[in-house]
Amino acid sequence: MTREADIDAMLLQHRVQSFLFHEADLLDRWELNEWEALFADEASYLVPPTDVDGDFADPSKSLFYIFDDRTRIHERVVRLEKKGAHSEFPRSKTRHLVSNVLAEQDGETITATASFAVWRSKDGNTDIFVGHYAYQLIEVDGALRIAEKKCVLDMDALRPHARISILL
């Protein structure tokens, strides 16, 4: 790798890492409309089931916990902002920790992976969700946007969590 290629790779790594940290901060501050704005027009947000290999899970063969297209992402945000979303009103306190970020660019698409741990506290209980993210990022008008976000849980099941009512 040339020195110029090394510098480009470091800049990409820094840019993607900063983007993912910003996304995590928006989720922890419950700035859901700003979080939604990070998604491209044709984006998807996926959480595969825990009983299959999430990296290779196929939504045509497995029932995903979350399989949102851009319209459903918007509807999820609108629902979570309403008092009628009983599972999140009052809302949970969350802390998203993102680490081990790796990024590669191939043409217009940036592929990124990262490890995550999300703590959710509500009603005297604290749940921890752990796993890794797989992103497809694109640049739109000079800014990174999420084309696909897949949250692969490294858990055998959701018990004792029983549900994913927050955004991972």
Side-chain angles (χ1 to χ4, degrees):
M1 192 178 272
T2 66
R3 180 178 159 87
E4 189 172 298
D6 286 343
I7 292 171
D8 287 346
M10 285 190 304
L11 291 173
L12 176 67
Q13 177 73 20
H14 176 71
R15 188 173 182 213
V16 169
Q17 192 167 299
S18 295
F19 180 81
L20 299 185
F21 292 171
H22 174 63
E23 182 198 16
D25 182 56
L26 290 175
L27 290 171
D28 290 340
R29 290 186 293 117
W30 208 256
E31 299 289 342
L32 302 184
N33 292 309
E34 288 79 3
W35 173 78
E36 180 189 353
L38 298 178
F39 285 82
D41 290 342
E42 301 296 324
S44 57
Y45 170 60
L46 314 168
V47 181
T50 54
D51 61 345
V52 298
D53 185 340
D55 288 318
F56 302 101
D58 180 348
S60 68
K61 296 178 182 170
S62 300
L63 185 60
F64 277 41
Y65 294 126
I66 297 173
F67 187 74
D68 288 356
D69 60 10
R70 189 65 176 84
T71 300
R72 290 188 58 127
I73 292 168
H74 175 71
E75 291 169 352
R76 184 176 298 277
V77 167
V78 169
R79 184 178 52 78
L80 286 171
E81 293 283 3
K82 291 182 179 178
K83 290 182 179 179
H86 299 288
S87 62
E88 285 304 322
F89 192 82
R91 72 176 186 90
S92 299
K93 293 179 181 176
T94 63
R95 183 64 51 199
H96 290 70
L97 298 184
V98 179
S99 68
N100 302 338
V101 177
L102 297 173
E104 289 183 3
Q105 185 159 10
D106 184 15
E108 302 287 317
T109 302
I110 298 168
T111 301
T113 58
S115 298
F116 70 83
V118 179
W119 280 261
R120 173 185 63 188
S121 294
K122 183 177 174 93
D123 299 330
N125 297 311
T126 299
D127 300 314
I128 303 170
F129 299 89
V130 295
H132 65 276
Y133 296 127
Y135 286 91
Q136 297 293 317
L137 305 172
I138 58 173
E139 190 164 309
V140 178
D141 298 328
L144 290 178
R145 292 290 175 255
I146 300 168
E148 180 179 289
K149 177 180 181 181
K150 183 188 287 186
C151 310
V152 179
L153 293 164
D154 294 335
M155 304 160 57
D156 293 335
L158 287 181
R159 298 279 175 214
H161 310 70
R163 63 188 169 161
I164 304 172
S165 61
I166 59 169
L167 296 163
L168 295 176

